[in-house]
Amino acid sequence: MTGDETKHLPLEDLHTAAGARFGAFAGWSMPLTYPAGVMKEHLHTREHAGLFDISHMKLFLVSGPGAIALLNRACPLDAGALEISQSKYTFFLNEAAGIIDDLIITRLGDDRFMVVANAGNAAVDEKHLRALAGDFEAKVDALDRVFLAIQGPEAWAALARAGIETGSLLFMHGIEPGQNWFMSRSGYTGEDGFEIGLPEADARDLVATLLKDERVAWIGLAARDSLRLEAGLCLHGQDITEEFDPASAGLMWAIPKDIRATGTFIGADALRAILERGPAQKRVGLKPEGRQPVRAGAALFDADGNPAGHVTSGGFGPSAGHPVAMGYVNTALATSGTKLFADVRGTKIPIDINPLPFTPHRYRKG
């Protein structure tokens, strides 16, 4: 991709003024770190409230009498069973049950749903959804919004001080608190957190108000990555791709049992076949010995030197206090405590299969 095609965040000037160091991600120029640095940004989010510009992600409104039927075809989901304002983690699958994208879908009304898609797949997702929508009485609108996330134990208090009441918004729910606003409570960090889609002018006002609060700081993509990795959460394009299915990825919890059995979603037959024979490999947490991080792409070997799998995400976990990684291993090896070796530039680093997450989730579920 040439520089000319790189997309820029609507609030880029604010990140530049804050001293952000930018880098390319999924076709976007994104703030990677701010002057505090990745370690401090990561810990600030765990201890206080981190503000993330996630406007590279895409919001789609799916509406119309056929909206439920469309989503039930596109995803392994019972969209009609969602309560108003309830959110659900789900996927677009291909016919082989490979994961095209992972999504969060929120029911806003009887036949209105918000779909949040990942940056790298936004164009593919939109094309996929629009192609399917032709068979249903449903409309797909790509929304032009700034999208912000505020994450951490003090996120709710910072929003309250900024005049945004959060008490009635439960974990994995979403609402429309104002015209052209969408707010959800989920969190890609393992912490209590909120995501707010809103018009640019409103976003600039909100950011200015939030950053007056000493508990709130801008957090870049580098710390977003270390936070989600410690929380055992997947990054599409790395830990999940069209090569992996929900069973191999350890994400079957996201598919209701009756939908597994009788759903008519794309990829249903392939997924049932995989479940019947059992996946050949499984996603696991990996804890390298020592202090050296093991990065994505590193090959894994068993004690006898046989290929065992590969690392899909890896780095240092500032809250965990040690290197953390995720990857896929042969199903027979996918038990906690199994000892493997990672090949890092010719050096064999001992690495243990470790339960996920590395740091406990602190979502506010009550």
Side-chain angles (χ1 to χ4, degrees):
M1 175 169 287
T2 65
D4 301 338
E5 291 165 6
T6 302
K7 299 190 194 79
H8 292 267
L9 299 173
L11 305 184
E12 184 175 77
D13 58 307
L14 300 185
H15 302 296
T16 302
R21 186 171 66 82
F22 290 85
F25 176 77
W28 288 79
S29 174
M30 295 292 293
L32 301 182
T33 56
Y34 296 87
V38 62
M39 186 79 87
K40 283 187 175 159
E41 290 173 40
H42 177 113
L43 295 172
H44 185 93
T45 306
R46 291 260 184 260
E47 290 159 18
H48 304 292
L51 182 61
F52 302 77
D53 189 340
I54 53 171
S55 304
H56 60 309
M57 297 179 73
K58 197 69 200 168
L59 298 168
F60 298 105
L61 191 65
V62 178
S63 59
I68 289 172
L70 167 60
L71 292 172
N72 289 352
R73 176 68 183 138
C75 308
L77 177 74
D78 183 354
L82 294 178
E83 292 168 15
I84 304 294
S85 92
Q86 188 181 354
S87 304
K88 182 88 177 76
Y89 176 76
T90 188
F91 321 98
F92 287 154
L93 302 178
N94 62 24
E95 289 292 359
I99 302 171
I100 296 171
D101 201 5
D102 62 335
L103 318 151
I104 291 183
I105 293 181
T106 303
R107 189 173 194 178
L108 296 174
D110 289 342
D111 57 7
R112 290 179 72 245
F113 294 83
M114 187 69 78
V115 178
V116 179
N118 289 305
N121 304 324
V124 171
D125 289 349
E126 184 171 356
K127 196 174 163 191
H128 181 68
L129 205 48
R130 286 194 193 284
L132 289 175
D135 296 333
F136 299 90
E137 209 181 327
K139 191 153 86 59
V140 177
D141 293 306
L143 303 182
D144 184 21
R145 300 280 185 274
V146 168
F147 202 28
L148 302 170
I150 180 164
Q151 306 275 302
E154 294 179 337
W156 68 273
L159 284 174
R161 187 185 284 182
I164 296 173
E165 193 275 320
T166 63
S168 60
L169 184 60
L170 302 173
F171 177 68
M172 287 305 283
H173 283 70
I175 54 172
E176 294 172 289
Q179 191 177 359
N180 294 327
W181 279 51
F182 169 68
M183 183 159 104
S184 57
R185 189 172 198 165
S186 58
Y188 190 53
T189 55
E191 300 295 330
D192 183 33
F194 303 85
E195 300 77 34
I196 306 171
L198 69 177
E200 184 182 331
D202 293 352
R204 288 179 178 273
D205 291 344
L206 179 59
V207 165
T209 304
L210 285 171
L211 289 174
K212 283 180 194 148
D213 190 323
E214 68 287 347
R215 295 169 295 191
V216 180
W218 277 124
I219 310 295
L221 212 59
R224 185 169 166 82
D225 196 50
S226 57
L227 287 158
R228 68 94 196 164
L229 181 51
E230 283 187 344
L233 301 172
C234 294
L235 176 62
H236 197 279
Q238 283 187 210
D239 310 298
I240 42 179
T241 67
E242 289 198 51
E243 291 170 40
F244 302 118
D245 60 86
S248 306
L251 297 172
M252 288 304 297
W253 56 267
I255 305 179
K257 284 201 168 59
D258 55 332
I259 300 301
R260 292 181 203 182
T262 60
T264 55
F265 56 91
I266 294 168
D269 293 342
L271 187 56
R272 284 177 199 126
I274 291 163
L275 289 169
E276 206 167 302
R277 66 173 182 265
Q281 51 182 352
K282 284 201 167 160
R283 180 175 65 94
V284 293
L286 297 160
K287 182 184 175 186
E289 275 184 24
R291 305 289 289 173
Q292 185 180 349
V294 172
R295 304 285 179 190
L300 298 170
F301 299 90
D302 67 14
D304 300 321
N306 302 308
H310 70 289
V311 175
T312 52
S313 280
F316 190 79
S319 306
H322 57 74
V324 293
M326 263 198 283
Y328 285 81
V329 300
N330 302 337
T331 300
L333 299 170
T335 49
S336 224
T338 299
K339 297 209 174 293
L340 302 171
F341 292 91
D343 185 341
V344 178
R345 293 183 298 280
T347 304
K348 293 272 194 292
I349 293 186
I351 194 164
D352 288 350
I353 292 183
N354 195 82
L356 291 171
F358 293 99
T359 53
H361 290 169
R362 297 195 295 181
Y363 302 125
R364 187 173 298 214
K365 297 198 177 179

